[in-house]
Amino acid sequence: MKLILLGAPGAGKGTQAERLCKTLDIPTISTGNILRAAIKNGTPTGLKAKSFMDAGQLVPDEVIIGIITERLAEKDCEKGYILDGVPRTIAQAEAMEKAGIVFDAVVSIEIADEVIMERMGGRRVCESCGASYHVTAVPSKQEGVCDSCGGKLVQRKDDAPETVKARLEVYHKETEPLKAFYAQRGLLKTVENQPTVEENTQAILRALGK
């Protein structure tokens, strides 16, 4: 099962990807996590990406596609994978098609902008392993501490209100057109945002016929 999760920033793609990878037994490939690892390690790609991310802008396509292609060639992706955070533009989607990267389904999580503004204010991310939490929806067992690795939980700069607003504008302009792109290919499945994380997971699995 080769999947893409689509949705605005803060729609819950990362949380759902983590849950789906356990159910479907395939890895989640999060561009955000790969990029953040590159930034933390101070690689040339990471430093290049950082300047764009800090401004709430999209990282250039050639950087993204290169990172993704390398990752999908690894052994754990043989049975399938879940892509979270890429493609973000029609150009990226076309570049992935040219690179021979194919999908079985594209799931779009539908959620209102105002819900996202509220939600992202409470988002916290582990600065060590990149695990994602929310102060009310998905809290860590101990406040400010990651359940997985014991790292410190922080609010990312791109979760600040003014950055979120800018990111939503970019999403509607650049990424939302992907829904029509994949609908034309018969791959799109839309899932309305549900009241709980668990209900969202079940709705996605139903859409995938699982």
Side-chain angles (χ1 to χ4, degrees):
M1 175 73 74
K2 296 172 181 177
L3 294 178
I4 297 174
L5 286 186
L6 282 184
K13 298 184 299 296
T15 302
Q16 291 304 326
E18 279 172 31
R19 294 171 69 88
L20 291 168
C21 81
K22 287 175 190 151
T23 307
L24 302 171
D25 193 28
I26 50 177
T28 294
I29 314 298
S30 162
T31 0
N33 286 351
I34 297 171
L35 284 171
R36 277 190 283 281
I39 289 166
K40 195 177 177 196
N41 298 332
T43 67
T45 309
L47 294 172
K48 195 172 169 189
K50 186 176 189 301
S51 59
F52 289 93
M53 287 169 82
D54 283 351
Q57 294 173 347
L58 296 178
V59 177
D61 291 353
E62 67 273 11
V63 178
I64 299 286
I65 305 300
I67 287 173
I68 292 296
T69 305
E70 284 169 18
R71 180 67 186 85
L72 297 185
E74 291 178 27
K75 193 163 178 54
D76 64 339
C77 291
E78 281 176 2
K79 287 196 298 177
Y81 44 79
I82 302 164
L83 277 191
D84 163 26
V86 70
R88 287 193 178 184
T89 62
I90 299 282
Q92 281 182 5
E94 289 172 343
M96 289 170 89
E97 280 188 351
K98 278 185 194 145
I101 301 169
V102 295
F103 304 99
D104 298 311
V106 177
V107 176
S108 176
I109 302 170
E110 304 293 316
I111 182 167
D113 285 6
E114 51 272 23
V115 176
I116 283 172
M117 294 295 291
E118 195 180 305
R119 180 182 283 184
M120 288 180 80
R123 194 155 78 163
R124 301 293 180 268
V125 175
C126 175
E127 59 183 7
S128 299
C129 74
S132 199
Y133 297 88
H134 190 280
V135 290
T136 53
V138 192
S140 55
K141 292 188 181 84
Q142 188 184 337
E143 194 180 334
V145 180
C146 176
D147 294 345
S148 303
C149 75
K152 184 182 172 193
L153 300 184
V154 295
Q155 183 175 48
R156 282 169 25 203
K157 197 183 278 186
D158 54 1
D159 287 340
E162 61 279 9
T163 317
V164 173
K165 221 171 195 173
R167 290 174 72 204
L168 282 169
E169 282 169 18
V170 169
Y171 168 77
H172 291 305
K173 186 179 162 202
E174 304 275 354
T175 307
E176 210 161 24
L178 283 170
K179 292 197 288 190
F181 179 89
Y182 286 116
Q184 284 168 356
R185 285 153 178 75
L187 296 175
L188 185 72
K189 298 177 188 304
T190 56
V191 173
E192 292 298 327
N193 183 53
Q194 303 296 313
T196 68
V197 170
E198 172 61 35
E199 286 171 281
N200 263 329
T201 307
Q202 294 308 319
I204 292 169
L205 288 170
R206 278 196 302 277
L208 295 172
K210 295 288 176 188

